[in-house]
Amino acid sequence: MPFPELLIDGYRSFRSGRLAREQDRYRELAERGQKPEIMVVGCCDSRVSPEVIFDARPGELFVVRNVANIVPPYAPDGQAHGVSAALEFAVAALKVKHIVVLGHAHCGGVRAFAEDAEPLSPGDFIGKWMRLMAPAVEKAGPVGALSPAQYLARLEQANVVNSLDNLMTFPRLSKLIERGQVAIHGAYFGVAAGELLIRDERTGEFVPADGTSPFKR
Ligand SMILES: [Zn+2]
């Protein structure tokens, strides 16, 4: 099969549009290197690209994406850990000032876990990966009177909090956070309305980023 036409067309559009407008910035970034101040941990989901949601320019966001925006706990066990490697690079080399965990509505990974369904695909990896969000179920609390959609939203947000808690298990990072040199934040993107919620550190509630939106789940 040939290289996807969608990508060729997209690249042509990028080259004549954004690249043309930002050529100087790209050259400068190539010469001086990147110095992003913000790292984003997001989901692989094709609807929740952090660069698109935050309208970011090249060089502004250091992004790692995985199924269900999970930060696994610190585990120096000699195995290869992709998220931990990205974190280490962001914190130790780039010296980012903010780490944002970006969850989202209608997350297939969270739903599969919540419904105790078969993993998203038959295979060797997803089931084990999703078990990392087990502590989020505790954080989400009982289903109670919540509708399935409301419970899923609560679980998706608890999963963000679980990733924030796991960030604190990284010794070097937790020291920087305690000293106020790095801040960690939770955020949640509602896909349909395009609404962004940000976790209020004091209350633990996810509230609209612009403070005016009626969006609630
Ligand atoms: Zn997702």
Side-chain angles (χ1 to χ4, degrees), residues 13-213:
S13 162
F14 163 75
R15 195 175 53 188
S16 61
R18 188 162 196 173
L19 182 64
R21 283 196 308 277
E22 305 210 62
Q23 182 66 74
D24 291 348
R25 186 176 175 87
Y26 274 101
R27 280 210 186 89
E28 194 185 311
L29 283 166
E31 281 164 21
R32 293 197 190 170
Q34 61 166 338
K35 195 79 185 92
E37 294 193 344
I38 302 167
M39 175 176 187
V40 180
V41 181
C43 182
C44 295
D45 191 301
S46 59
R47 301 164 293 182
V48 295
S49 169
E51 294 87 344
V52 173
I53 293 169
F54 297 115
D55 197 19
R57 302 170 69 196
E60 288 181 334
L61 298 183
F62 185 75
V63 177
V64 61
R65 296 173 72 174
N66 62 52
V67 174
N69 44 269
I70 290 172
V71 175
Y74 179 69
D77 55 11
Q79 302 296 311
H81 294 284
V83 178
S84 305
L87 269 175
E88 187 172 274
F89 185 67
V91 172
L94 298 174
K95 301 196 185 327
V96 297
K97 295 191 170 73
H98 301 271
I99 301 174
V100 176
V101 177
L102 176 65
H104 71 99
H106 313 294
C107 184
V110 173
R111 167 169 284 195
F113 185 83
E115 293 174 351
D116 208 15
E118 291 295 309
L120 299 176
S121 66
D124 298 328
F125 301 107
I126 289 183
K128 181 159 191 204
W129 178 252
M130 293 314 301
R131 281 203 288 280
L132 286 167
M133 69 165 284
V137 176
E138 299 284 316
K139 292 183 207 297
V143 179
L146 296 175
S147 70
Q150 284 170 327
Y151 180 70
L152 275 180
R154 181 183 282 188
L155 192 57
E156 284 156 353
Q157 293 176 359
N159 182 47
V160 169
V161 176
N162 189 45
S163 284
L164 293 174
D165 287 351
N166 284 345
L167 283 172
M168 295 303 287
T169 66
F170 288 75
R172 189 203 295 232
L173 177 57
S174 72
K175 277 202 194 82
L176 291 169
I177 293 166
E178 278 157 18
R179 284 192 216 131
Q181 290 172 276
V182 174
I184 58 175
H185 315 272
Y188 180 81
F189 182 68
V191 174
E195 197 70 24
L196 182 72
L197 304 183
I198 295 173
R199 182 169 181 268
D200 184 321
E201 221 183 322
R202 290 159 303 167
T203 65
E205 294 290 308
F206 283 77
V207 296
D210 63 7
T212 57
S213 168

